[in-house]
Amino acid sequence: METIFEIQRRLHEECDRLVMAMSEELMIPKKTTKEKVLADHRIKIYLERYQTCSKSLLELYQDKDGERKQEITNMSVNEFKEFYSQFNGLIEFHSNHGNNVAVPASIEFDKLKEQLNDPAYLAEVVKFSDVENYGQYLDLHECYDNFVNLKGIDKIDYITYLSEFNKFADIPRKQKNLKYKGYLQLLHDYLYSFITRSRPLFFELEHTVKRNELQFEDMWKNGIVPGWEKVRDVDDDALINLNEFGKWEDLTYLGLDRLKAALQALGMKCGGTLEERAQRLFASKDDKNQENERKRMMNLNKEKDIALLEYKIAKLSELVDDQIYETKINLQRKQARYTLDESDEDSMDEEESDDDDGIPYNPKNLPLGYDGKPIPYWLYKLHQLHFTYECEICGNYKYNGPKAFQNHFSEWRHAHGMRCLGIPNTAHFANITKIEDALVLWDKVKEQTFSKMWVPANEEEFEDSRGNILSKKVYLDLQKQGLL
């Protein structure tokens, strides 16, 4: 069993190692958005663990149960007795748990770093869609689909929606129903999740949301919430103090329009004759008609919830202004490229319809695809097919693009040319296109190869009767002369 001081020492060591790990992570340069976001998430994991350790240390130093003070007292009164007591406790613990292997803190942190650097583990922790590109762009397609399906809403394109999704004052109040509230909740949840995933070290997000809610409460009481000012003014002005009227006939002097506005403010039916409206409004004064007041309060609460969501979305959108701008630029760039390709294809189709012989129109001499039509120009540039490579060994044949040029070294045309030169088509002659270079290299390869070959006349050794070591040629010459 660990003592209080040992637990404190272990927690302090863990805090030091966490600080060192965060420092090393911050010192590594990040080039891409993906690397920055993943590094921030790793730092967040380290920081959360650091906060947990610090909280545990604070509780130990506060010593609410008095165990730390008692341990200090025991060590100061009879230190030897306390030492042997702890020593016997360790012996007893290891005798009961002898098969357990203690893992040092260094090995534990090495495993933690290895786990956090694993792409598969981070993919589960940090989930981004392909459109978001690790927090570089927004993916509001689901919210956009819900928005365009709302009744009474003007249909707009996606780029326009990105510019106007946080402008709620332009939407009529009568269209802000329960379905509209569900759309707002979906949009709010996405923005909150996106900020949490793309900016993991932005710990002020929760405080910012709470501060926005408090600001909204003050603005709602004062009737200055953007998009809801006139509505609250009209409702407050339209209400009538019914305690000033003794009977419903007195209400008829207010007129049809004034009674209609009062009934609308209460959420009641506002049609009928002057007498019917006066009777209906005066009946809401009795205790039996408290249901009308309850309905009015429910409507006000619904409007307040919708206004609160709109205000929170507007504040969250201010935090992702840069991502909104980058998303619009990226979409416009994609649309421009798609429009250019589409216009090229349309012009080709028109030219094909005008030709009588059926030959496809190909002014840029683009390669033909599987359908017999020229491939798109952007695909032609992407594969670098506008670069040509000439091979003298293949009979000055030209290859379009680096991929075709690299592949031709293992194809029949190049192999036939090498056989005609009397050279084997091996890996030594990769990227060699000139005949002269191939012949020079072949001479060097032969020279190096033959120099390493075993020659019996020079390499085979013989020994005479005196123990002298001679080569085969020298030995045979001396033997013929009778000198051995």
Side-chain angles (χ1 to χ4, degrees):
M1 182 177 179
E2 289 183 314
T3 62
I4 302 297
F5 285 100
E6 180 61 24
I7 295 174
Q8 289 180 335
R9 185 207 63 77
R10 178 172 54 80
L11 291 175
H12 278 295
E13 180 185 0
E14 188 172 352
C15 290
D16 292 340
R17 290 185 180 277
L18 288 170
V19 171
M20 187 180 300
M22 288 186 286
S23 302
E24 292 175 356
E25 192 67 43
L26 290 173
M27 291 175 63
I28 300 175
K30 287 83 179 177
K31 299 180 181 180
T32 62
T33 305
K34 178 181 177 180
E35 293 178 355
K36 294 178 182 177
V37 172
L38 295 181
D40 289 345
H41 277 277
R42 285 192 288 267
I43 294 174
K44 181 182 178 182
I45 294 174
Y46 291 141
L47 194 57
E48 290 177 349
R49 186 166 176 177
Y50 181 86
Q51 291 174 347
T52 303
C53 294
S54 300
K55 186 178 179 180
S56 301
L57 278 172
L58 180 61
E59 293 177 354
L60 291 175
Y61 279 114
Q62 288 177 350
D63 195 21
K64 295 181 180 180
D65 53 2
E67 292 184 1
R68 183 172 181 271
K69 184 177 180 181
Q70 182 64 33
E71 187 173 333
I72 295 175
T73 304
N74 295 336
M75 294 176 62
S76 59
V77 174
N78 193 343
E79 60 274 12
F80 293 102
K81 181 180 180 181
E82 181 66 19
F83 169 78
Y84 283 109
S85 175
Q86 295 179 10
F87 181 71
N88 293 329
L90 288 174
I91 294 176
E92 182 180 359
F93 177 82
H94 284 285
S95 63
N96 297 329
H97 305 84
N99 295 327
N100 293 350
V101 179
V103 180
S106 58
I107 298 178
E108 181 183 355
F109 271 84
D110 290 340
K111 292 182 179 179
L112 178 61
K113 291 180 180 179
E114 183 178 355
Q115 182 183 20
L116 294 179
N117 290 323
D118 185 11
Y121 175 78
L122 290 177
E124 294 294 331
V125 177
V126 189
K127 294 183 179 181
F128 286 96
S129 64
D130 295 337
V131 179
E132 290 173 337
N133 194 20
Y134 285 88
Q136 190 173 3
Y137 308 115
L138 289 173
D139 185 8
L140 292 175
H141 289 87
E142 184 178 358
C143 300
Y144 171 73
D145 293 338
N146 282 268
F147 177 77
V148 296
N149 288 323
L150 295 174
K151 292 184 179 180
I153 300 296
D154 296 334
K155 302 299 185 291
I156 56 177
D157 57 12
Y158 184 61
I159 295 181
T160 307
Y161 172 76
L162 288 173
S163 303
E164 301 180 357
F165 76 90
N166 55 354
K167 298 178 182 178
F168 305 104
D170 300 336
I171 301 176
R173 180 193 172 193
K174 61 181 180 180
Q175 306 298 338
K176 298 181 179 181
N177 48 23
L178 291 177
K179 190 174 181 181
Y180 175 76
K181 181 181 177 181
Y183 155 73
L184 291 179
Q185 188 66 46
L186 177 64
L187 181 58
H188 173 268
D189 293 343
Y190 173 78
L191 292 177
Y192 188 88
S193 172
F194 179 81
I195 296 174
T196 304
R197 289 179 288 118
S198 61
R199 300 168 64 181
L201 298 181
F202 183 53
F203 296 103
E204 296 295 328
L205 181 59
E206 295 183 2
H207 300 288
T208 303
V209 173
K210 293 180 180 179
R211 184 171 62 251
N212 293 336
E213 292 178 353
L214 296 176
Q215 292 177 357
F216 171 80
E217 292 293 338
D218 296 336
M219 297 174 66
W220 183 261
K221 291 179 181 179
N222 299 326
I224 56 175
V225 179
W228 297 87
E229 305 92 343
K230 296 181 180 180
V231 174
R232 291 189 55 80
D233 293 342
V234 171
D235 290 344
D236 294 339
D237 295 339
L239 294 176
I240 298 176
N241 187 8
L242 298 177
N243 295 325
E244 299 177 357
F245 301 90
K247 52 185 178 179
W248 67 268
E249 288 85 355
D250 298 337
L251 292 172
T252 57
Y253 297 103
L254 297 178
L256 285 169
D257 295 336
R258 185 70 182 87
L259 294 177
K260 179 180 179 181
L263 290 171
Q264 286 180 341
L266 294 174
M268 301 172 60
K269 181 181 177 181
C270 58
T273 61
L274 179 62
E275 290 76 10
E276 291 175 350
R277 296 180 184 182
Q279 292 175 2
R280 194 182 306 120
L281 181 61
F282 190 77
S284 64
K285 180 181 178 182
D286 301 335
D287 295 336
K288 298 180 181 179
N289 295 279
Q290 293 298 325
E291 184 68 18
N292 296 326
E293 181 66 18
R294 188 180 66 84
K295 290 182 179 180
R296 189 179 76 87
M297 294 304 298
M298 289 179 60
N299 291 331
L300 289 178
N301 291 333
K302 290 178 181 178
E303 292 177 352
K304 182 179 178 181
D305 293 341
I306 293 175
L308 176 60
L309 285 173
E310 290 180 350
Y311 186 78
K312 291 167 69 175
I313 291 172
K315 291 298 182 180
L316 290 176
S317 62
E318 294 177 0
L319 301 176
V320 292
D321 282 339
D322 296 338
Q323 285 82 359
I324 294 174
Y325 176 77
E326 292 295 335
T327 304
K328 291 190 291 186
I329 295 299
N330 185 44
L331 288 172
Q332 291 173 357
R333 181 169 59 249
K334 287 184 177 180
Q335 288 185 355
R337 186 173 60 187
Y338 175 76
T339 305
L340 179 61
D341 295 340
E342 192 176 29
S343 61
D344 292 342
E345 291 177 0
D346 293 340
S347 62
M348 290 181 182
D349 292 339
E350 292 177 359
E351 293 295 336
E352 287 176 2
S353 61
D354 295 337
D355 294 338
D356 295 332
D357 53 0
I359 299 176
Y361 178 71
N362 193 7
K364 296 182 180 180
N365 196 22
L366 300 177
L368 300 180
Y370 292 106
D371 55 354
K373 298 180 181 179
I375 64 174
Y377 188 69
W378 64 268
L379 186 62
Y380 176 79
K381 299 284 287 186
L382 177 65
H383 291 284
Q384 300 181 0
L385 299 179
H386 53 290
F387 293 106
T388 58
Y389 302 89
E390 185 176 352
C391 182
E392 187 179 4
I393 299 176
C394 298
N396 295 325
Y397 191 87
K398 295 182 180 179
Y399 298 90
N400 295 326
K403 184 176 181 181
F405 174 72
Q406 291 295 333
N407 292 337
H408 98 278
F409 288 104
S410 59
E411 294 176 352
W412 67 271
R413 191 189 303 274
H414 192 83
H416 177 71
M418 296 292 285
R419 283 197 302 270
C420 294
L421 295 176
I423 302 173
N425 190 19
T426 60
H428 299 86
F429 303 92
N431 298 324
I432 300 297
T433 59
K434 299 292 185 181
I435 296 178
E436 182 179 358
D437 296 340
L439 294 175
V440 172
L441 181 58
W442 175 234
D443 293 335
K444 292 183 178 179
V445 171
K446 289 192 298 183
E447 182 180 354
Q448 294 176 359
T449 304
F450 292 154
S451 63
K452 297 179 181 180
M453 292 180 62
W454 185 69
V455 181
N458 298 327
E459 302 292 337
E460 192 173 3
E461 297 179 346
F462 288 80
E463 183 178 357
D464 60 1
S465 59
R466 297 182 180 181
N468 297 321
I469 304 300
L470 305 173
S471 63
K472 181 179 180 180
K473 183 179 180 181
V474 175
Y475 182 85
L476 294 177
D477 292 339
L478 293 176
Q479 189 179 30
K480 292 178 181 179
Q481 297 176 12
L483 299 178
L484 292 179

